[in-house]
């Protein structure tokens, strides 16, 4: 059974009917929590995904604007780091 043929509430099996997948050095057991049919999804089904993407994009815009505001000619990373909530661990300060 592949992921695209899974039923809600069922454990996903590989081609040899094993429930445990080995990915690199980790083991994964997959469980189908939702089945979505082909076509355009209902808004309620993707609302949280859209909100997450928009919040992530807005945060990136805010961080970028803050960085650009505090970045100026002749400033080093140590100069602008504190304004952006960053600090260099292990750096030597004179």
């Amino acid at each position: 059974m592949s992921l695209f043929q899974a039923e809600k509430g069922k454990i996903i099996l590989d081609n040899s009917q094993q429930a445990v997948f080995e990915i690199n050095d980790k083991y994964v057991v997959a469980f189908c929590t939702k089945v979505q049919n082909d076509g355009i999804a209902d808004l309620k089904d993707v609302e949280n995904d859209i909100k997450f993407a928009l919040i992530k994009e807005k945060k990136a815009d805010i961080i970028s604007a803050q960085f650009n505001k505090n970045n100026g000619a002749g400033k080093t990373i140590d100069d602008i780091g504190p304004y952006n909530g960053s600090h260099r661990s292990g750096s030597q300060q004179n």
Side-chain angles (χ1 to χ4, degrees):
M1 174 187 292
S2 75
L3 180 60
F4 299 106
Q5 298 169 340
E7 296 177 34
K8 184 175 179 178
K10 300 286 183 178
I11 293 176
I12 310 300
L13 303 175
D14 66 7
N15 291 335
S16 58
Q17 301 301 305
Q18 298 295 313
V20 178
F21 298 87
E22 187 174 350
I23 301 175
N24 297 326
D25 62 343
K26 296 181 174 52
Y27 296 97
V28 176
V29 175
F31 183 78
C32 183
T33 58
K34 178 179 156 188
V35 175
Q36 182 173 327
N37 296 324
D38 288 340
I40 298 173
D42 289 335
L43 179 59
K44 65 181 174 65
D45 292 336
V46 295
E47 181 177 13
N48 287 334
D49 296 333
I50 294 170
K51 282 182 183 178
F52 177 77
L54 291 174
I55 289 170
K56 185 177 172 183
E57 185 176 326
K58 186 62 176 175
K59 283 182 180 181
D61 290 343
I62 290 169
I63 291 169
S64 178
Q66 187 178 26
F67 178 81
N68 289 334
K69 179 182 124 190
N70 295 314
N71 188 15
K75 289 189 176 181
T76 67
I77 192 74
D78 291 322
D79 295 333
I80 63 174
Y83 296 107
N84 294 303
S86 302
H87 68 281
R88 290 180 61 188
S89 62
S91 66
Q92 294 180 345
Q93 298 185 9
N94 298 333

